[in-house]
Amino acid sequence: MANQFLNLQEIQLTSEQKYNGNFLKVFSDSVKLPNGATSTREYIKHPGAVVIFAELDDGKIIFEEQFRYPLQRTFLELPAGKLDSNEDPLIAAKRELLEETGFIAEKWTAYGEIHPCIGYSDEKIYVYKAQNLTDTNQQNLDNNEFLNIKFFNIYKT
């Protein structure tokens, strides 16, 4: 069956900001659909973020154990963080790696970007690999940020 809607774009008719938080903003828009009907789209505007695969010389990857309130449990995560206003993603990645883990890296490789929540957010996460790491012992967590650093060899079977 042929696709009857060759142009799938939805056209914004109106936009209303419903919430303005510390770093998230929630909107409700009225849109014109490809078939001419109208509908509502609710979504979150996000400043963007970075995530870092930090690989030690022995092949271990740095993870962080953090409690995440929305799901009421701890998770193992890669070092990551949000972009500050107009911040270069590589600068943010270097900042977040040092702040959260105390490590710096000599070699950085950009792997592109991911959009993890396309159904309800414009969040874009820039993905980096950090190698040739040095522990500065200068972890500097944000105020009221708590995490445990873990090291795992993810290449072992």
Side-chain angles (χ1 to χ4, degrees), residues 50-53 88-91 93-94 106-114 125-131:
V50 295
V51 64
I52 304 109
F53 289 89
D88 178 90
L90 179 57
I91 300 299
K94 291 178 178 181
E106 287 182 27
K107 181 178 177 186
W108 288 88
T109 305
Y111 282 155
E113 57 193 52
I114 57 177
I125 301 176
Y126 298 89
V127 181
Y128 291 94
K129 184 173 186 179
Q131 294 173 290

Side-chain angles (χ1 to χ4, degrees), residues 41-85:
R41 298 289 181 251
E42 297 173 339
Y43 61 99
I44 298 168
K45 285 192 174 259
H46 187 285
V50 295
V51 64
I52 304 109
F53 289 89
E55 183 179 16
L56 296 165
D57 291 340
D58 65 2
K60 290 182 180 172
I61 304 295
I62 300 174
F63 283 85
E64 301 171 355
E65 180 184 41
Q66 276 189 293
F67 182 83
R68 293 302 186 177
Y69 184 81
L71 295 171
Q72 291 292 300
R73 59 178 265 215
T74 58
F75 287 86
L76 281 178
E77 306 172 15
L78 295 167
K82 73 174 188 66
L83 297 174
D84 290 336
S85 181

Side-chain angles (χ1 to χ4, degrees), residues 22-59:
N22 290 330
F23 77 97
L24 296 178
K25 297 170 183 4
V26 178
F27 289 81
S28 179
D29 291 2
S30 174
V31 298
K32 182 178 178 182
L33 301 174
N35 66 357
T38 60
S39 189
T40 301
R41 298 289 181 251
E42 297 173 339
Y43 61 99
I44 298 168
K45 285 192 174 259
H46 187 285
V50 295
V51 64
I52 304 109
F53 289 89
E55 183 179 16
L56 296 165
D57 291 340
D58 65 2

